[in-house]
Amino acid sequence: MAERKARVERNTLETQISVEVNLDGTGKTNFQTGVPFLDHMMDQIARHGMVDLDVVCDGDLHIDDHHTVEDVGITMGQAFAKAVGDKKGIRRYGHAYVPLDEALSRVVLDLSGRPGLHMDVPFTRATVGGFDVDLFAEFFQGFVNHALITLHIDNLKGKNTHHQIETVFKAFGRALRMAIELDDRMAGIMPSTKGTL
């Protein structure tokens, strides 16, 4: 089996980013984005997705966090798409429900080759520790557009915004782990009647 690893660099006038991913990792991480809450949430993806993830970003944080968060999502999506390769032998679909105290979120995804984000998270606050929670939609939109996946995110319950967000990221990691997992019964087979994804 070929190694499912990738390194992607993306440089613009707003951000300079490098992302390394190993889809068959152990949850090892290194984050240097300058946005601690984003790093905390990406750690959930890696730990619960069992992927190694290294993300370094030098962004225009003197303006705000927007470009950094969105562009990290874009670059991570590019890296995941590159690492997953032709998708033969994978499960393709993934889903997870994750609770955290009073909060409960559901994430369902399809490595379909078609980008689509459907996100329903009724945040109870606009910020967490100074972080604008609306930016997570930008993160996931950037990811799905470049990983070419269909992603449904629903926060079903929650009063604490930190808990709402954390359940989303943990569930995303779990669903992603399921979708990229290799299925012995599908070895060498494209999981689509079209013959391509």
Side-chain angles (χ1 to χ4, degrees):
M1 181 185 76
E3 286 190 333
R4 298 193 302 167
K5 298 179 179 179
R7 176 181 170 83
V8 173
E9 291 189 8
R10 184 176 189 273
N11 296 301
T12 71
L13 295 177
E14 298 167 340
T15 57
Q16 296 78 51
I17 302 173
S18 70
V19 171
E20 292 184 48
V21 63
N22 175 4
L23 300 185
D24 301 302
T26 59
K28 185 174 64 175
T29 62
N30 174 54
F31 302 120
Q32 298 174 45
T33 68
V35 184
F37 195 62
L38 174 64
D39 294 351
H40 178 47
M41 291 303 111
M42 289 191 299
D43 193 39
Q44 306 307 318
I45 297 173
R47 304 282 173 169
H48 293 276
M50 290 300 289
V51 297
D52 295 343
L53 192 55
D54 187 308
V55 180
V56 177
C57 177
D58 182 13
D60 55 1
L61 298 177
H62 61 284
I63 296 175
D64 70 6
D65 296 344
H66 188 282
H67 298 141
T68 293
V69 175
E70 180 180 25
D71 290 2
V72 165
I74 289 170
T75 313
M76 279 181 58
Q78 292 171 335
F80 271 82
K82 186 175 177 181
V84 80
D86 66 9
K87 301 179 187 173
K88 287 182 179 176
I90 65 168
R91 296 195 183 276
R92 176 181 168 176
Y93 300 100
H95 59 87
Y97 285 82
V98 170
L100 175 56
D101 297 341
E102 88 300 342
L104 173 66
S105 291
R106 174 184 62 214
V107 172
V108 183
L109 59 85
D110 176 11
L111 303 188
S112 60
R114 296 182 306 279
L117 174 63
H118 306 275
M119 185 171 174
D120 184 10
V121 182
F123 294 117
T124 57
R125 284 187 291 146
T127 60
V128 173
F131 183 89
D132 178 357
V133 298
D134 286 342
L135 294 182
F136 282 125
E138 303 300 326
F139 172 87
F140 284 116
Q141 190 68 68
F143 187 93
V144 302
N145 285 350
H146 294 271
L148 301 177
I149 70 170
T150 299
L151 177 61
H152 289 255
I153 298 172
D154 293 285
N155 173 242
L156 305 176
K157 296 178 182 178
K159 295 179 181 177
N160 181 304
T161 303
H162 189 131
H163 292 173
Q164 290 176 292
I165 296 167
E166 191 161 334
T167 57
V168 164
F169 274 83
K170 287 177 175 176
F172 177 68
R174 291 267 170 180
L176 193 63
R177 177 180 175 181
M178 181 186 293
I180 64 176
E181 190 174 52
L182 294 168
D183 181 350
D184 291 341
R185 296 179 64 199
M186 291 288 291
I189 299 172
M190 179 64 67
S192 170
T193 56
K194 293 192 301 290
T196 185
L197 285 173

